[in-house]
């Protein structure tokens, strides 16, 4: 303990009690004198409570107190005086005078109750309310006559308070102190020598009040005595003590009681007047007495919580200056006029959602200054919230969690604390605490579907967006930030990453390559959704990609086989009936669905009235009876077309020989060479015609442009002319020369595209022997299959 600069020492009483509560609670008491200098040491709170100074700093220790007289030095662990303390201002006459506050720490929440008793020093001298006291005393006053004097008031208490009086001079009067029931002393001036107005009409006295401090302090008042003629009877009160009571919310002007004093003198010497002579500060602001009839009334506002009772000194004085005194004891009855006072000592703004049950979120104190049931307080919380309130000690409460929290169910709580007293009617106060529930990564991402199917048309552009997968995470902020990745897998032995890719942020699936329906029709893979928590949580979903066919393949003719090395012809006897099956065009399309639905049409024929082609089956049949006038050589051009949009097609040339014998066929087919030569000449003529037409077109175009330029120069106006160029593409003719024994050789080649992205062609090979084959380089040699020669 340290000594202050004053000569007075202070005694410090210390005791610490630790209670087994949900948070640590202790109590320390100190005793200090008032008027200590700012910065003076009160006590080493860290040492007295057994706390580490580092704990004061890490726990953000602070003082929770109503006034600002003291402060906590966390670096030294001591309590210091922040402002001078005046005991008389703080407590008046109340004793003991104590200052109560709490030391609050966090992480975890702890609080300690500290009481500092403020002891009195002799810093106030006794004072009298009046500057002077005047008495009119009859000269006939008998020895021993008493005159009540005004008492002095000393704000100090105990030994420093008012202790004694002295009167000077003492020739006619002596001082007499008479103890009273409340511990105070009645001061009376007693006549010890008869008065003689003729000798001394005015007497001046000095009344001195002394306290017991060191050094002593005093106050004085002048007493002026006027000696009157005979008035030898003083008033006498009917009761030594009067009692009255009323409730604290009584209206001003309420009659408390009526006092009465009698004087047996006659005339003006028997006329009594009443007055209040209490030396207690503030009495005259609360009560008044009617000087003529002794009615005592309330003129101020009283508060039970400030003072529970009052003692009023009443004096009755006659016209001769004789007086008597009595006491009125007034008791104040409590009324429930104070709401409970809620003081949030420490609160948590936010707690994580995985906080265990019974986690403390706030500590508060509740006080009701009313008495009895009016001051008994009960606190409850709002309903349907996972919190409860516990009483940790007298007037102190803790708010704790009582069940598991889930931020995804409720991210914020407005906790209303309602405290009500047991008065009638009951008064209440409430306070609302807003508590944020911070997120914990306890939810994995969830895909919107259990599986996904997406479609993409073949021959797509690489990088094309196929589909978007979406997963949602019920957590918040970083814990809810979802990233998408492809799980390692393979499709036909190739890593799935070479087929598709996925955007980590958006979940958009892109095609890495161009797909070909004819190579792969569908494949599947798994996508993982990973959140940004620590540790991260994830979920998986299966995505199936369906490749949709595109009409990118033309039909392929399998039969009849087109070849340039030999002549192929179908034999039809002249006796063939209507519907005779000449041959069947066989074609396939590697596409699927309607893109592979094939139809057959007869595009050209030597005699259209003789043959027809089945639309669906490609069968070539006669549509009339074959006769002798029909030419031996019959050439058919069949178009095979699929049902795609747009459609693709292929053509096939079918040579038919109408004859009953092989020699007849051989003689007729020797002119194929002549036909080919004719075709060569025709091609030459067409090329020459195309050249002439192109020359004429270019010449006209040059002339038109020249005229336009000439006109522009004449008018000096800038004019731009964009003339459309209309290309002319002449038909192409193909011809194949043959050197066989037949006069004309008709040879047709079928070209099909193997892939929509390639331009190379494949030529069909012969796949049937049910035809007549003539080698153009041979001389009169022919291969004949007689299977269908005669049906």
């Amino acid at each position: 303990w340290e000594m202050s600069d004053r000569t007075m020492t202070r005694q410090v009483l210390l005791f610490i009690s630790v209670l087994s509560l949900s948070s640590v609670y202790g109590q320390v008491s100190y005793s200090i004198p008032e008027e200590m200098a700012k910065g003076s040491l009160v006590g080493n709170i860290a040492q007295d409570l057994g706390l580490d100074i580092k704990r004061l700093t890490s726990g953000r220790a602070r003082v929770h107190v109503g006034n600002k007289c003291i402060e906590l030095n966390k670096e030294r662990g001591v309590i210091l005086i922040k402002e001078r303390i005046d005991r008389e201002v703080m407590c008046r006459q109340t004793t003991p005078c104590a200052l109560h506050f709490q030391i609050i720490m966090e992480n975890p929440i702890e609080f300690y109750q500290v009481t500092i008793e403020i002891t009195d020093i002799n810093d106030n001298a006794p004072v009298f309310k009046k500057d002077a006291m005047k008495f009119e005393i009859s000269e006939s006053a008998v020895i021993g006559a008493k005159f009540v004097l005004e008492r002095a008031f000393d704000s100090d208490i105990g030994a420093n308070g008012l202790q004694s009086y002295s009167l000077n001079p003492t020739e006619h009067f002596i001082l007499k102190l008479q103890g009273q029931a409340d511990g105070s002393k009645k001061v009376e001036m007693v006549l010890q020598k008869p008065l003689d107005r003729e000798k001394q009409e005015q007497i001046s006295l000095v009344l001195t009040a002394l306290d017991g401090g060191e050094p002593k302090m005093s106050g004085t008042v002048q007493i002026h005595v006027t000696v009157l003629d005979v008035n030898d009877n003083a008033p006498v009160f009917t009761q030594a003590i009067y009692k009255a009571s009323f409730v604290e919310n009584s209206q001003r002007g309420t009659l408390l009681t009526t006092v009465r004093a009698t004087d047996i003198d006659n005339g003006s010497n028997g006329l009594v007047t009443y007055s209040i002579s209490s030396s207690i500060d503030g009495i005259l602001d609360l009560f008044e007495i009617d000087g003529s009839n002794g009615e005592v009334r309330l003129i101020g506002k009283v508060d039970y919580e400030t003072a529970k009772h009052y003692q009023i000194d009443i004096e009755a004085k006659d016209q001769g200056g004789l007086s008597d005194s009595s006491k009125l004891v007034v008791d104040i009855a409590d009324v429930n006029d104070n709401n409970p006072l809620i003081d949030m000592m420490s609160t948590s703004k936010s707690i994580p959602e995985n906080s265990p049950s019974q986690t403390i979120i706030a500590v508060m104190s509740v006080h009701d200054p009313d008495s009895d049931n009016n001051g008994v307080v009960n606190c409850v919380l709002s309903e349907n919230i996972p919190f409860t309130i516990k009483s940790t000690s007298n007037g102190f409460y803790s708010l704790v969690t009582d069940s598991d929290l889930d931020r995804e169910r409720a991210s914020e709580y407005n906790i209303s604390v309602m405290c009500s007293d047991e008065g009638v009617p009951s008064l209440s106060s409430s306070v609302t605490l807003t508590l944020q529930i911070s997120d914990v990564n306890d939810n994995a991402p969830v895909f919107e579907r259990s599986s996904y199917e997406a479609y993409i048309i073949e021959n797509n552009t690489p990088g094309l967006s196929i589909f978007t997968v979406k997963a949602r995470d019920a957590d918040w902020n970083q814990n809810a930030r979802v990233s998408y990745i492809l799980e390692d897998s393979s499709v036909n032995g190739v890593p799935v990453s070479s087929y598709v890719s996925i955007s980590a942020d958006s979940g958009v699936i892109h095609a890495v390559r161009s797909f070909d329906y004819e190579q792969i029709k569908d494949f599947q893979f798994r996508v993982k959704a990973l959140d940004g928590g620590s540790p991260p949580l994830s979920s998986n979903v299966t995505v199936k990609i369906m490749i949709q066919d595109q009409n990118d393949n033309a039909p392929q003719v399998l039969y009849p086989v087109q070849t340039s090395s030999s002549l192929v012809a179908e034999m039809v006897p002249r006796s063939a009936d209507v519907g005779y099956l000449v041959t069947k065009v066989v074609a396939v399309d590697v596409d699927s669905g309607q893109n592979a639905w094939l139809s057959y049409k007869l595009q050209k024929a030597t005699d259209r009235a003789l043959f027809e082609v089945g639309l669906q089956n490609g069968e070539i049949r006669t549509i009339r009876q074959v006769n002798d006038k029909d030419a031996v050589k019959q050439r058919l051009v069949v178009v095979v077309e699929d049902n795609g949009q747009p459609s693709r097609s292929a053509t096939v040339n079918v040579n038919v020989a109408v004859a009953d014998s092989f020699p007849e066929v051989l003689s007729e087919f020797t002119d194929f060479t002549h036909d080919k030569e004719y075709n060569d000449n025709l091609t030459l003529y067409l090329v020459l015609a195309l050249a002439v037409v192109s020359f004429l077109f270019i010449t006209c175009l040059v002339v038109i442009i020249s005229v336009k330029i000439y006109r522009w120069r004449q008018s000096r106006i800038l004019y731009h002319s964009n003339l459309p160029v209309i290309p002319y593409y002449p038909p192409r003719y193909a011809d194949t020369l043959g050197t066989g024994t037949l006069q004309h050789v008709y040879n047709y080649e079928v070209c099909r595209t193997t892939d929509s992205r390639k331009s190379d062609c494949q030529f069909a090979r012969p796949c049937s022997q049910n035809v007549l084959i003539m080698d153009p380089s041979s001389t009169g040699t022919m291969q004949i299959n007689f299977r269908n020669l005669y049906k």
Side-chain angles (χ1 to χ4, degrees):
W1 308 108
E2 294 182 15
M3 301 296 293
S4 67
D5 295 334
R6 299 177 182 273
T7 59
M8 181 180 294
T9 61
R10 58 190 177 89
Q11 297 179 348
V12 181
L13 302 176
L14 169 65
F15 65 92
I16 301 175
S17 60
V18 180
L19 305 179
S20 299
L21 305 173
S22 58
S23 61
V24 179
Y25 176 83
Q27 181 171 335
V28 180
S29 294
Y30 298 100
S31 177
I32 64 172
E34 62 174 328
E35 300 294 343
M36 291 181 68
K38 181 178 179 180
S40 298
L41 176 67
V42 176
N44 191 326
I45 189 67
Q47 177 180 339
D48 296 337
L49 290 175
L51 297 175
D52 189 353
I53 294 180
K54 294 181 180 179
R55 170 62 180 140
L56 297 178
T57 303
S58 63
R60 298 171 58 189
R62 62 186 184 277
V63 173
H64 186 83
V65 65
N67 55 44
K68 306 299 181 181
C69 297
I70 58 96
E71 65 180 355
L72 173 64
N73 187 314
K74 292 184 287 186
E75 289 74 18
R76 297 170 54 194
V78 296
I79 298 176
L80 304 176
I81 297 295
K82 187 176 182 181
E83 295 179 4
R84 287 180 177 271
I85 301 175
D86 189 348
R87 191 205 65 80
E88 286 71 30
V89 173
M90 180 180 295
C91 301
R92 294 189 177 182
Q93 296 296 307
T94 302
T95 181
C97 178
L99 176 64
H100 302 278
F101 61 93
Q102 292 80 35
I103 301 294
I104 305 297
M105 290 187 292
E106 299 176 355
N107 300 321
I109 293 177
E110 298 176 332
F111 67 97
Y112 301 88
Q113 190 166 353
V114 180
T115 301
I116 299 178
E117 180 182 2
I118 311 302
T119 59
D120 184 51
I121 65 173
N122 191 26
D123 58 342
N124 292 281
V127 294
F128 292 89
K129 295 297 181 182
K130 298 178 180 179
D131 296 335
M133 291 185 284
K134 296 180 179 181
F135 293 89
E136 293 180 347
I137 304 175
S138 173
E139 63 179 348
S140 62
V142 298
I143 301 299
K146 299 176 182 178
F147 303 93
V148 178
L149 303 179
E150 177 190 1
R151 290 184 296 176
F153 176 77
D154 194 335
S155 299
D156 297 324
I157 61 173
N160 295 324
L162 182 63
Q163 299 294 325
S164 61
Y165 293 88
S166 62
L167 186 63
N168 187 48
T170 58
E171 180 181 357
H172 293 90
F173 298 91
I174 62 172
L175 201 62
K176 183 178 181 181
L177 302 179
Q178 182 178 349
Q180 299 187 94
D182 61 345
S184 63
K185 295 180 179 181
K186 181 190 293 186
V187 183
E188 295 177 333
M189 184 174 62
V190 181
L191 183 62
Q192 68 172 353
K193 179 181 178 181
L195 299 176
D196 187 357
R197 189 187 63 82
E198 287 71 21
K199 289 182 178 180
Q200 189 177 6
E201 185 175 357
Q202 298 290 335
I203 301 176
S204 296
L205 305 171
V206 176
L207 178 63
T208 302
L210 298 171
D211 62 20
E214 190 65 31
K216 294 181 181 297
M217 303 182 75
S218 64
T220 60
V221 65
Q222 293 288 328
I223 301 175
H224 302 286
V225 178
T226 301
V227 180
L228 302 177
D229 282 335
V230 176
N231 180 27
D232 54 356
N233 290 286
V236 177
F237 279 99
T238 58
Q239 294 179 220
I241 296 177
Y242 293 88
K243 292 186 177 181
S245 63
F246 64 97
V247 294
E248 60 177 324
N249 61 348
S250 297
Q251 299 295 322
R252 289 180 174 87
T254 299
L255 177 63
L256 304 183
T257 188
T258 301
V259 298
R260 185 172 179 78
T262 59
D263 194 324
I264 61 175
D265 290 326
N266 293 323
S268 62
N269 292 329
L271 184 60
V272 178
T273 57
Y274 303 93
S275 63
I276 295 176
S277 63
S278 294
S279 61
I280 299 177
D281 189 26
I283 284 292
L284 297 178
D285 296 329
L286 299 176
F287 306 98
E288 70 174 2
I289 188 170
D290 191 312
S292 60
N293 58 23
E295 291 181 350
V296 180
R297 294 183 180 274
L298 177 68
I299 62 172
K301 183 174 179 59
V302 296
D303 188 0
Y304 174 85
E305 287 69 44
T306 302
K308 298 176 176 55
H309 57 82
Y310 292 92
Q311 293 186 4
I312 307 172
D313 293 325
I314 301 175
E315 182 180 3
K317 184 184 294 184
D318 61 18
Q319 297 298 314
L322 300 179
S323 63
D324 191 14
S325 64
S326 181
K327 186 179 293 292
L328 172 60
V329 179
V330 179
D331 293 323
I332 311 300
D334 183 39
V335 173
N336 190 27
D337 57 348
N338 289 279
N339 296 75
L341 303 175
I342 303 175
D343 184 10
M344 301 301 295
M345 300 169 58
S346 181
T347 60
S348 297
K349 299 296 183 182
S350 174
I351 61 173
E353 61 179 322
N354 62 348
S355 298
S357 182
Q358 304 303 309
T359 298
I360 298 176
I361 62 173
V363 175
M364 66 180 186
S365 63
V366 182
H367 173 65
D368 193 323
D370 293 323
S371 64
D372 300 330
N373 289 339
N374 296 332
V376 177
V377 180
N378 297 308
C379 295
V380 295
L381 298 181
S382 52
E383 297 180 354
N384 301 323
I385 58 175
F387 305 97
T388 188
I389 187 169
K390 290 184 176 182
S391 177
T392 58
S393 62
N394 187 22
F396 293 92
Y397 295 86
S398 294
L399 297 181
V400 298
T401 60
D402 69 344
S403 63
D404 293 336
L405 303 175
D406 187 359
R407 191 206 65 83
E408 288 69 45
R409 185 175 64 247
S411 62
E412 180 181 281
Y413 289 95
N414 290 322
I415 306 171
S416 295
V417 182
M418 175 74 73
C419 295
S420 304
D421 60 28
E422 295 184 1
V424 179
S426 176
L427 298 179
S428 62
S429 297
S430 64
V431 65
T432 299
L433 169 65
T434 299
L435 180 66
Q436 301 288 338
I437 307 301
S438 59
D439 187 47
V440 173
N441 191 28
D442 56 351
N443 289 276
V446 178
F447 283 96
E448 294 177 344
R449 301 181 189 175
S450 59
S451 63
Y452 292 90
E453 285 189 358
Y455 297 87
I456 183 172
I457 299 176
E458 65 172 331
N459 303 318
N460 59 285
T461 303
L464 179 68
S465 173
I466 302 176
F467 191 65
T468 301
V469 295
K470 194 68 177 178
R472 301 187 182 277
D473 196 310
D475 293 319
W476 183 77
N477 205 359
Q478 183 66 26
N479 294 331
R481 187 171 300 168
V482 180
S483 300
Y484 304 91
I485 58 175
L486 289 176
E487 286 193 353
D488 292 335
S489 60
S490 61
V491 178
N492 297 332
V494 179
V496 71
S497 59
S498 65
Y499 284 83
V500 293
S501 65
I502 188 168
S503 175
D505 296 329
S506 63
V508 178
I509 298 175
H510 298 273
V512 173
R513 63 169 62 177
S514 179
F515 296 107
D516 187 356
Y517 176 83
E518 287 70 42
Q519 295 181 2
I520 181 171
K521 294 179 173 56
D522 62 73
F523 63 93
Q524 67 182 20
F525 54 90
R526 292 180 68 81
V527 174
K528 176 184 289 187
L530 194 70
D531 63 24
S534 181
L537 301 178
S538 63
S539 61
N540 302 313
V541 70
T542 299
V543 180
K544 185 175 183 180
I545 303 297
M546 313 289 290
I547 313 299
Q548 292 183 321
D549 184 43
Q550 195 177 37
N551 191 27
D552 57 346
N553 292 280
Q556 302 178 34
V557 178
L558 303 180
Y559 185 84
V561 178
Q562 303 296 295
T563 177
S564 60
S565 61
S566 61
L567 179 66
V568 179
E570 299 288 345
M571 296 288 294
V572 177
R574 294 186 179 274
S575 61
D577 295 330
V578 175
Y580 178 83
L581 178 63
V582 178
T583 187
K584 181 176 182 179
V585 178
V586 180
V588 295
D589 195 321
V590 295
D591 293 322
S592 66
Q594 67 177 10
N595 295 329
W597 297 349
L598 302 180
S599 61
Y600 303 84
K601 295 178 183 178
L602 183 62
Q603 186 181 49
K604 288 197 258 181
T606 303
D607 187 354
R608 281 185 172 274
L610 182 58
F611 300 102
E612 69 175 358
V613 179
L615 181 64
Q616 303 296 331
N617 53 25
E619 294 178 348
I620 300 177
R621 294 180 181 271
T622 60
I623 56 177
R624 65 175 174 81
Q625 182 73 38
V626 179
N627 54 48
D628 295 338
K629 296 180 179 181
D630 293 326
V632 175
K633 295 185 297 181
Q634 298 286 335
R635 177 181 296 169
L636 307 179
V637 179
V638 178
V639 176
V640 183
E641 188 176 24
D642 61 26
N643 198 37
Q645 292 296 331
S647 64
R648 294 177 178 268
S649 63
T651 60
V652 59
N653 298 324
V654 180
N655 296 318
V656 179
V658 180
D660 292 328
S661 63
F662 177 75
E664 183 181 0
V665 172
L666 184 62
S667 63
E668 290 294 332
F669 275 77
T670 57
D671 61 349
F672 275 146
T673 304
H674 300 290
D675 291 343
K676 184 169 185 64
E677 292 174 355
Y678 170 77
N679 290 338
D680 292 341
N681 295 331
L682 180 61
T683 301
L684 177 62
Y685 296 150
L686 290 175
V687 170
L688 292 175
L690 177 61
V692 172
V693 171
S694 300
F695 174 78
L696 293 176
F697 173 78
I698 293 173
T699 302
C700 293
L701 186 62
V702 171
V703 171
I704 292 172
I705 293 174
S706 300
V707 171
K708 290 291 183 179
I709 294 175
Y710 176 77
R711 290 181 179 178
W712 171 79
R713 289 180 177 179
Q714 292 296 323
S715 60
R716 295 181 180 276
I717 298 175
L718 181 62
Y719 177 76
H720 295 281
S721 176
N722 295 324
L723 296 178
V725 178
I726 305 174
Y728 175 76
Y729 299 98
R732 298 180 180 178
Y733 294 88
D735 194 14
T736 305
L737 296 176
T739 57
T741 58
L742 294 178
Q743 295 179 357
H744 301 283
V745 178
Y746 295 91
N747 185 22
Y748 297 87
E749 296 179 351
V750 179
C751 180
R752 66 179 179 87
T753 301
T754 59
D755 190 89
S756 61
R757 299 182 301 276
K758 301 177 181 178
S759 60
D760 59 323
C761 296
Q762 293 183 353
F763 297 92
R765 299 295 181 183
C767 58
S768 173
Q769 298 298 324
N770 299 329
V771 295
L772 172 66
I773 302 176
M774 174 68 73
D775 187 354
S777 63
S778 63
T779 306
T781 303
M782 182 181 295
Q783 297 179 0
I784 302 176
N785 189 325
F786 293 96
R787 185 178 62 85
N788 291 325
L789 184 61
Y790 297 102
K791 283 191 178 180

